Amino acid sequence: MLIQHVFIINRAGSLIYDWDSKVDCTGVEKTFSYPLDIVLDIIDQKVTVVFGERDGIGLRYTVSAINGIPVQACKVIFDGVEKMVLDVIQEEANYPLSIRFQSPTITTNEKIILSSTFHSLYTIAAQLSPALKSSGIEVLTTNHFKLYCYQSTTGVKFVVVGSLSLSSGVDGLLRRIYELYADFALKNPFYSIDMPIRCQRFDDAVRSLIERQDKFSMLTI
Amino acid sequence: MSKQTKFPMGIDSKKISGELFALTYGALVAELLRDLENPLAVNRQLDKMGYNIGLRLADDLLAKNSQIQRCTDMHQVADVLAKIAVRSYLGVTAQVSNWNSRNDEFSLVLDANPLAEFVEVPPELAQDLRYSQILCGAIRGALEMMHMEVQTFIVQEHSQSVEIRVKFIRILQESVPPGDD
């Protein structure tokens, strides 16, 4: 999949729609002996790898289960007693331990926060511009992905995040998403403007549009 | 408009919906008159409905006509309204005339009135009822989405034409997106 995320941000900067390509959330399970050579810490109420990448367990991976028992809010039922995950891992007597790690995911809440941050960044970028009438952020390139943004005249932002090889036809894709928004969200009388879009037909249309775009990009590469 | 419905070969979907639209609108006005029993209240209600339509239709127009840029004066607004908006949604052409000296007020004259094609307003209502008031509301709503507050009213209307006066009030600074000011 070349396109990983699609976001629509309303005029006030809040996320009203997001689409994800099916990310394979396969975890990595491994049996460890004492001492554990991966440094773990609690970040955002999740036990997270902060140092010592190895065997496909990367930074920002989180512990999802210990000895097959799922971890909930940094705690796990161990020997019939609820214990903190970090305590269990420090105890030599508990080893060998089988720990399951999950690749980093992004929750809906985090998406909402990131969207409003992007909205502010966009505004700052437009104001910093040395030229008059800057269009704000249109493309943002990193080592691993590209982000494309299109802001309609009315102020709604359409954001597509995709792989680096994505380049041709993204402008057209963004405009097509805008058209779908005008058709299936705004023309739906039961959709209230500026609120999150929960329309099945809009979902379907976006999905088939992106599938078509992906096929087209595969052919042109 | 998205083409979802399939019409039989040789029938233009847009030509059918025009008549259906006029009849539906007629039924709506007649029903409002029965309910509200006051032509002025009917005008207000039609204006409100048009406004809500305009809020939604603005994005549709912009999404499907990528050549429309942000308008920076009323001449551009008049151009977009007369040349693109009226033609694509009502299927008629329109003329812009009667500019005032400050260039912030103009008349939009539709060459035909698709809403009132079959309509004869009874003489006792003709004084107060603005049959096509929904157009005023739609223009006001759509321009509000493009960050302009305008005043719109009908100067005169009959089935051959309708004249709508559009007056610029102010730019809605608080809703102008970044990069456009």
Side-chain angles (χ1 to χ4, degrees):
Chain A
M1 277 296 211
L2 291 171
I3 296 163
Q4 284 133 10
H5 296 283
V6 173
F7 300 104
I8 301 179
I9 302 170
N10 75 5
R11 291 175 293 167
S14 45
L15 182 71
I16 55 170
Y17 183 79
D18 73 274
W19 176 92
D20 267 326
S21 65
K22 295 271 179 293
V23 203
D24 40 342
C25 284
T26 47
V28 187
E29 181 137 18
K30 206 173 141 53
T31 308
F32 294 90
S33 53
Y34 191 80
L36 186 66
D37 50 359
I38 293 177
V39 185
L40 297 170
D41 205 348
I42 296 178
I43 296 173
D44 290 338
Q45 285 154 37
K46 282 181 213 143
V47 184
T48 312
V49 178
V50 292
F51 192 68
E53 275 185 316
R54 51 171 280 197
D55 305 330
I57 301 164
L59 293 179
R60 288 177 58 221
Y61 274 52
T62 55
V63 177
S64 62
I66 291 183
N67 289 351
I69 302 160
V71 171
Q72 272 165 348
C74 307
K75 288 181 187 148
V76 65
I77 311 279
F78 196 78
D79 289 340
V81 193
E82 192 177 59
K83 285 184 179 170
M84 295 297 287
V85 171
L86 292 182
D87 293 343
V88 172
I89 283 165
Q90 270 163 11
E91 203 65 51
E92 185 171 359
N94 293 334
Y95 281 81
L97 272 181
S98 158
I99 307 179
R100 184 170 188 83
F101 289 93
Q102 201 182 15
S103 52
T105 50
I106 168 169
T107 63
T108 308
N109 253 337
E110 287 162 343
K111 282 178 193 165
I112 293 170
I113 295 167
L114 289 175
S115 300
S116 49
T117 311
F118 179 75
H119 177 77
S120 319
L121 270 178
Y122 187 102
T123 313
I124 294 171
Q127 285 172 0
L128 276 179
S129 154
L132 277 173
K133 281 202 165 241
S134 158
S135 62
I137 299 171
E138 280 180 353
V139 190
L140 199 143
T141 315
T142 74
N143 282 341
H144 296 289
F145 69 90
K146 272 186 180 174
L147 179 150
Y148 291 84
C149 177
Y150 169 73
Q151 181 178 256
S152 73
T153 314
T154 52
V156 184
K157 289 185 190 65
F158 299 84
V159 179
V160 164
V161 178
S163 66
L164 284 176
S165 51
L166 188 70
S167 57
S168 62
V170 182
D171 288 343
L173 174 76
L174 286 165
R175 286 213 64 100
R176 282 290 298 146
I177 298 175
Y178 184 26
E179 273 180 48
L180 293 179
Y181 166 75
D183 275 349
F184 295 110
L186 291 179
K187 282 184 196 165
N188 176 359
F190 301 105
Y191 167 72
S192 25
I193 298 177
D194 279 350
M195 295 306 273
I197 304 171
R198 302 192 206 292
C199 306
Q200 188 59 47
R201 297 183 66 184
F202 180 71
D203 278 343
D204 296 344
V206 169
R207 192 174 310 119
S208 73
L209 172 66
I210 289 169
E211 275 164 16
R212 248 183 297 142
Q213 173 79 20
D214 264 341
K215 257 188 221 135
F216 172 75
S217 316
M218 293 294 183
L219 286 177
T220 49
I221 286 169
Chain B
M1 306 277 160
S2 58
K3 293 238 170 55
Q4 287 292 310
T5 338
K6 294 273 177 289
F7 283 95
M9 283 284 286
I11 298 179
D12 187 349
S13 65
K14 285 190 174 160
K15 276 183 186 159
I16 293 179
S17 58
E19 201 158 293
L20 180 64
F21 172 52
L23 290 173
T24 311
Y25 184 70
L28 173 78
V29 177
E31 190 63 38
L32 280 175
L33 270 169
R34 257 194 299 281
D35 285 354
L36 299 170
E37 291 169 352
N38 174 3
L40 296 175
V42 172
N43 293 346
R44 268 198 299 282
Q45 197 59 38
L46 288 174
D47 191 82
K48 209 162 104 187
M49 289 175 181
Y51 173 74
N52 287 322
I53 293 173
L55 291 183
R56 288 160 186 266
L57 221 49
D59 269 309
D60 185 61
L61 185 76
L62 292 167
K64 277 153 201 179
N65 298 278
S66 54
Q67 77 275 22
I68 302 178
Q69 298 295 311
R70 186 173 137 77
C71 299
T72 48
D73 68 27
M74 277 315 260
H75 283 275
Q76 292 172 17
V77 172
D79 256 16
V80 171
L81 279 177
K83 292 193 180 134
I84 306 171
V86 170
R87 214 183 40 150
S88 49
Y89 291 112
L90 296 174
V92 295
T93 50
Q95 316 301 330
V96 175
S97 60
N98 288 340
W99 282 95
N100 70 346
S101 56
R102 293 182 57 200
N103 273 328
D104 65 353
E105 193 176 347
F106 62 88
S107 286
L108 187 72
V109 186
L110 271 59
D111 297 340
N113 187 354
L115 292 177
E117 201 180 333
F118 319 107
V119 178
E120 282 176 45
V121 179
E124 67 270 23
L125 290 173
Q127 186 66 35
D128 291 332
L129 180 68
R130 297 280 168 267
Y131 187 82
S132 312
Q133 182 70 33
I134 203 160
L135 298 178
C136 292
I139 291 173
R140 196 161 50 83
L143 288 178
E144 183 176 311
M145 284 307 269
M146 299 178 76
H147 328 295
M148 276 167 274
E149 187 182 326
V150 293
Q151 230 170 37
T152 46
F153 61 91
I154 287 181
V155 181
Q156 52 155 322
E157 58 171 344
H158 29 80
S159 57
Q160 283 83 46
S161 76
V162 55
E163 178 179 350
I164 299 170
R165 196 87 182 139
V166 181
K167 184 183 189 337
F168 174 84
I169 305 296
R170 68 183 182 108
I171 289 283
L172 300 163
Q173 279 303 344
E174 59 280 5
S175 72
V176 174
D180 266 341
D181 35 357

